[in-house]
Amino acid sequence: MPQGSATTWSYVLIRWLFKFVLKIFYGTIVVENCELIPRTGRPCIVCANHSNSLTDALLLVTSIPPSKRNMLRLTAKATQFGRRTFTSWLIESAGTVPIRRRKDYADGAEADNTDVMEKLMQALELGDAVCLFPEGMSRYHPTIAPLKTGVARILSDVLSRNRDDPDFEIDVLTCSITYMHREHFRSDVLVTFHAPLTFTPSNNPELLTPVDFSNIRAVTAKIHDKISSGTFDSPSWDLIRSAKLAARMYAPLGTMMTLGDHVRLVRTFLEAFKTPRDKVPSEKEDYIRELDSVQRGLKAYQDKLAKYAIKDDRIRRPLRRRIILFRLLVRFIWALCLFTISLPGLLLWVPVFATSVYAVYNFKKTGPIFDTWDEIAQYKLIYGLFSGICVWVCAVLFTWPVAPASALLVPALMWMTLRWFEDAVAAGRAVSALIRLLCVGNATLKTLREERTELYSRIVNLAVGPLGLPADPEAHFTRIGGKEKGRIRGNWDSRARYFSIKRRRKRDWNETLRLYDKVDYPDEDDE
């Protein structure tokens, strides 16, 4: 039986280094279904959606436990190789295989990947795991692109080469990556592995050469369905925006649910909203009209919330003016205290933030949103890593007499500062929200509340009826439980972990490290 390639030292370094960097950049990284990952020695093609450039590959490398796979053989566009840059070194050191894309060459003549395909097939026959992004390119877009047939063709070729081995099995492990806000600091990420598709020469003779290309397309369609089943796949940003609001109204802030449950809930509404209107039987026309009406209502309501810069939760639970003023005072004092204790450590973070912001600002000017925004997280990660290392080195040199201690204390201080600063920003966000609530006025709030009451009733009817969701989401999601990431169970647990050094206690998976809530997406015309 194949044993798989040994893990190289550079791969171990990269996995360890970027696991650390990713945990700093993203507030919570939830990995689901690791038990489904085939072990080293079993040929495996890992396929995932591709919306965040190099960050997608780094997430997969760090999400697959070393106990499961020695290493994950990556692929990247050939133009990333041979440069005198850290990114190029990083890609090459990880054993990445260069893929020549036709779009990168003027006449397409150089886009010959015959040798590349041979290397990938050899790696699979050794029992390695190979990572491919079947969309063929990374892009900032709300929908998954039509998948290329490369994965199915490699699968067919490997099965054909081993048609005489009755014990030969190869797995296609699909994975869905969902970023709540892919390019924003301290947002959350869900990585969901699905049950692998297993193929053998004896069970899948339709994939042995000579093969009918319709069978290749059928496997590609199956891979697409698996990947899209675990993430947001929408024809427009507006539908995602409306689906997120519907999910928040149905299961409001404070509902004890995991990030995976939240993503699946949003996806349930999203799938309903994107139902093809031209393929609906006549007996469901009333249902479609209700869907359209609810969607228009959600958009209009979210537009008003965005205009006044307040959350739906502030409309759901009205507060008296004196309670608002009292909470405003408490939150302001708390934000001031947290910011004060964060200030010394923030001096260490300033060069990191400034470098990343400047680099991203210049990079955004190089192209349109759909062609550049998928690389923003990558730029922030790499520039943040370099500037962070420089800060650490300078701090150690500056405190040379106690360098052994400062080498450990400086990173610890920077991490604790980040945790305190997160809480300070959250408190500041509450202060600004309460101030806006006072400025909106009772008449406007009353109108919004009436609009919400009517819309909420229709959303619940839609959820509990056609969508088959439970009538009591709080009881349901608390019962199905799962390992909590970010959410806390019970009052005592909530208070005890408020100051957890591992992560913030979040009430809203939509949070980022900003003083305002990110609910809007790029205009469709900008894409």
Side-chain angles (χ1 to χ4, degrees):
M1 181 178 175
Q3 299 298 312
S5 301
T7 311
T8 63
W9 69 268
S10 56
Y11 185 87
V12 173
L13 174 64
I14 289 168
R15 183 167 57 196
W16 176 85
L17 180 63
F18 279 95
K19 188 165 189 173
F20 169 73
V21 174
L22 286 166
K23 280 184 177 292
I24 291 177
F25 187 80
Y26 291 111
T28 305
I29 300 175
V30 178
V31 183
E32 295 184 321
N33 305 329
C34 281
E35 69 278 3
L36 299 176
I37 301 172
R39 292 189 176 275
T40 297
R42 189 176 177 93
C44 180
I45 303 175
V46 180
C47 304
N49 53 308
H50 200 19
S51 64
N52 209 5
S53 193
L54 181 61
T55 310
D56 292 332
L58 294 174
L59 263 175
L60 289 175
V61 166
T62 56
S63 296
I64 296 179
S67 59
K68 283 285 188 177
R69 306 292 316 192
N70 287 348
M71 62 186 299
L72 180 64
R73 296 294 297 271
L74 301 171
T75 55
K77 57 185 179 183
T79 53
Q80 294 271 26
F81 290 73
R83 297 180 177 180
R84 293 182 178 180
T85 63
F86 176 74
T87 303
S88 181
W89 172 86
L90 175 69
I91 291 172
E92 294 174 21
S93 298
T96 305
V97 178
I99 297 287
R100 297 181 180 90
R101 304 187 305 174
R102 191 170 283 107
K103 64 172 285 187
D104 294 327
Y105 301 94
D107 56 3
E110 296 185 62
D112 181 6
N113 287 302
T114 304
D115 293 341
V116 175
M117 295 301 110
E118 178 64 26
K119 288 181 181 179
L120 292 177
M121 287 188 286
Q122 290 175 0
L124 289 167
E125 290 171 339
L126 288 173
D128 285 346
V130 169
C131 178
L132 294 169
F133 294 103
E135 287 178 87
M137 62 182 293
S138 172
R139 60 189 192 144
Y140 192 93
H141 204 270
T143 187
I144 296 175
L147 302 191
K148 310 292 185 184
T149 57
V151 172
R153 285 187 282 116
I154 291 175
L155 177 65
S156 173
D157 290 343
V158 173
L159 288 173
S160 299
R161 284 165 54 133
N162 294 271
R163 65 171 73 214
D164 296 328
D165 182 359
D167 297 325
F168 184 82
E169 293 182 330
I170 180 170
D171 294 319
V172 175
L173 178 68
T174 53
C175 176
S176 304
I177 305 174
T178 307
Y179 300 89
M180 299 314 295
H181 298 288
R182 71 193 84 180
E183 77 278 20
H184 291 314
F185 193 38
R186 304 302 290 168
S187 61
D188 302 313
V189 188
L190 175 69
V191 180
T192 302
F193 292 102
H194 305 286
L197 302 169
T198 302
F199 300 86
T200 66
S202 58
N203 292 337
N204 303 96
E206 73 280 2
L207 294 177
L208 302 180
T209 54
V211 61
D212 187 334
F213 201 71
S214 64
N215 294 322
I216 297 294
R217 286 195 292 266
V219 172
T220 303
K222 190 177 293 186
I223 292 171
H224 184 282
D225 289 343
K226 281 262 191 178
I227 293 174
S228 63
S229 69
T231 189
F232 305 144
D233 184 19
S234 169
S236 71
W237 291 116
D238 272 346
L239 287 185
I240 294 179
R241 183 178 185 251
S242 295
K244 283 189 172 183
L245 177 58
R248 284 198 300 273
M249 292 179 71
Y250 166 74
L253 294 185
T255 302
M256 299 291 181
M257 65 195 320
T258 64
L259 178 57
D261 289 333
H262 173 70
V263 168
R264 285 183 282 274
L265 179 60
V266 173
R267 190 180 176 280
T268 299
F269 284 102
L270 178 60
E271 290 300 302
F273 292 154
K274 72 175 192 179
T275 302
R277 286 1 185 202
D278 57 342
K279 297 181 181 179
V280 176
S282 56
E283 60 269 20
K284 287 192 174 182
E285 288 182 356
D286 290 341
Y287 167 65
I288 294 301
R289 279 195 291 270
E290 177 63 10
L291 276 180
D292 289 338
S293 177
V294 168
Q295 187 185 326
R296 287 194 298 270
L298 285 167
K299 184 179 185 308
Y301 179 57
Q302 181 65 77
D303 287 344
K304 292 175 183 177
L305 292 179
K307 175 184 175 181
Y308 297 116
I310 55 179
K311 279 186 180 182
D312 170 67
D313 195 55
R314 300 295 181 185
I315 306 300
R316 178 177 72 95
R317 298 188 303 177
L319 299 173
R320 294 183 178 180
R321 192 174 187 85
R322 57 185 177 82
I323 295 178
I324 294 176
L325 291 171
F326 174 74
R327 291 188 178 185
L328 182 60
L329 178 62
V330 172
R331 299 293 192 279
F332 177 77
I333 294 173
W334 183 229
L336 192 62
C337 292
L338 286 170
F339 182 76
T340 301
I341 63 174
S342 302
L343 198 55
L346 282 176
L347 297 176
L348 298 172
W349 277 104
V350 166
V352 179
F353 293 154
T355 304
S356 301
V357 169
Y358 181 74
V360 169
Y361 173 76
N362 286 329
F363 176 69
K364 281 183 179 180
K365 296 189 292 185
T366 63
I369 284 175
F370 70 89
D371 200 34
T372 54
W373 280 35
D374 62 313
E375 296 187 39
I376 289 177
Q378 167 188 321
Y379 268 71
K380 288 181 177 179
L381 284 169
I382 292 174
Y383 278 89
L385 172 62
F386 270 119
S387 54
I389 291 175
C390 289
V391 167
W392 177 71
V393 170
C394 290
V396 170
L397 292 176
F398 186 74
T399 58
W400 187 251
V402 290
S406 61
L408 297 175
L409 291 177
V410 168
L413 175 61
M414 292 182 73
W415 173 253
M416 287 307 302
T417 296
L418 181 60
R419 280 290 298 106
W420 293 328
F421 189 57
E422 275 191 286
D423 287 327
V425 170
R429 189 162 51 236
V431 168
S432 60
L434 291 169
I435 291 174
R436 290 192 295 268
L437 204 59
L438 289 173
C439 295
V440 168
N442 290 332
T444 303
L445 289 175
K446 182 180 179 181
T447 302
L448 286 173
R449 199 168 300 123
E450 291 172 352
E451 183 176 347
R452 185 196 187 277
T453 300
E454 191 269 339
L455 186 58
Y456 172 76
S457 176
R458 297 170 67 188
I459 288 172
V460 170
N461 289 336
L462 174 66
V464 178
L467 301 187
L469 293 171
D472 187 347
E474 176 68 42
H476 171 74
F477 289 115
T478 301
R479 184 175 64 254
I480 64 174
K483 187 176 181 181
E484 292 290 329
K485 295 284 186 179
R487 299 302 176 104
I488 303 299
R489 292 182 180 278
N491 290 333
W492 170 252
D493 207 17
S494 176
R495 294 188 183 96
R497 295 194 191 179
Y498 188 88
F499 292 100
S500 168
I501 62 170
K502 293 177 64 178
R503 64 179 66 89
R504 257 190 52 74
R505 183 199 67 185
K506 291 188 176 182
R507 297 180 66 241
D508 186 359
W509 288 114
N510 200 49
E511 273 190 30
T512 62
L513 191 60
R514 287 170 174 259
L515 281 172
Y516 60 90
D517 294 302
K518 181 72 177 173
V519 295
D520 289 319
Y521 294 90
D523 292 333
E524 304 293 337
D525 294 339
D526 293 336
E527 298 172 27

